[in-house]
Each structure stands twice: as structure tokens, then as C-alpha cells.
Amino acid sequence: MNSDVTVSHGKTDMFQELLADALAIQDRFVAEPRLKTTGVGHLKSRGVDGLKQDAAELAAKYSNHRVETKLA
């Protein structure tokens, strides 16, 4: 496996953001004991509180990108 990663200058921020997101949910992946050799498993739910927190974080992050429109 080649561990050398090259990222162009403009894409470094996006790569770092994606890596941080992936590492943040790493503890939620659960392997199925009977399928441990295949790597099959599932992602544990964060529950309703976790979904509300995610929605609030996304709303705060993208609130300045919102475009208001009026339908006639």
C-alpha cells in the first residue's frame, strides 16, 4: 500500500475537513462479530439529540450562504 498522499494546494482545506469529519465518526462504526473477517458492520445511531445537534451545526455553518427568494 502506498502511504504517500499528494494534495494540490487548493484542495488541502477540503481534504483536511473531510479527514476531520471521518475521524469524528470513527468510533460509531461497529463490526458485526460473525462478519469480522469481511469488515461488514453498521454505523451506530447518534439518536434524535445527535441529529438536532448536526442540524444546528449545519445551519450555523451555512447561514451566510442562504439565499432568500420570494415566490409570486
Side-chain angles (χ1 to χ4, degrees), residues 50-64:
L51 294 175
K52 287 181 181 178
Q53 180 183 359
D54 289 345
E57 289 173 1
L58 287 173
K61 183 176 181 179
Y62 294 109
S63 64
N64 60 346

Side-chain angles (χ1 to χ4, degrees), residues 39-60:
V40 175
H42 64 278
L43 183 64
K44 290 190 292 187
S45 174
R46 291 183 58 209
V48 174
D49 292 333
L51 294 175
K52 287 181 181 178
Q53 180 183 359
D54 289 345
E57 289 173 1
L58 287 173

Side-chain angles (χ1 to χ4, degrees), residues 9-68:
H9 178 65
K11 296 181 182 181
T12 303
D13 294 334
M14 184 189 317
F15 177 76
Q16 292 296 330
E17 188 175 321
L18 290 172
L19 183 61
D21 289 344
L23 293 175
I25 64 170
Q26 188 65 30
D27 62 326
R28 293 178 47 211
F29 287 101
V30 180
E32 295 291 339
R34 62 188 173 83
L35 301 173
K36 65 183 176 185
T37 58
T38 62
V40 175
H42 64 278
L43 183 64
K44 290 190 292 187
S45 174
R46 291 183 58 209
V48 174
D49 292 333
L51 294 175
K52 287 181 181 178
Q53 180 183 359
D54 289 345
E57 289 173 1
L58 287 173
K61 183 176 181 179
Y62 294 109
S63 64
N64 60 346
H65 298 293
R66 176 171 275 172
V67 176
E68 297 292 330

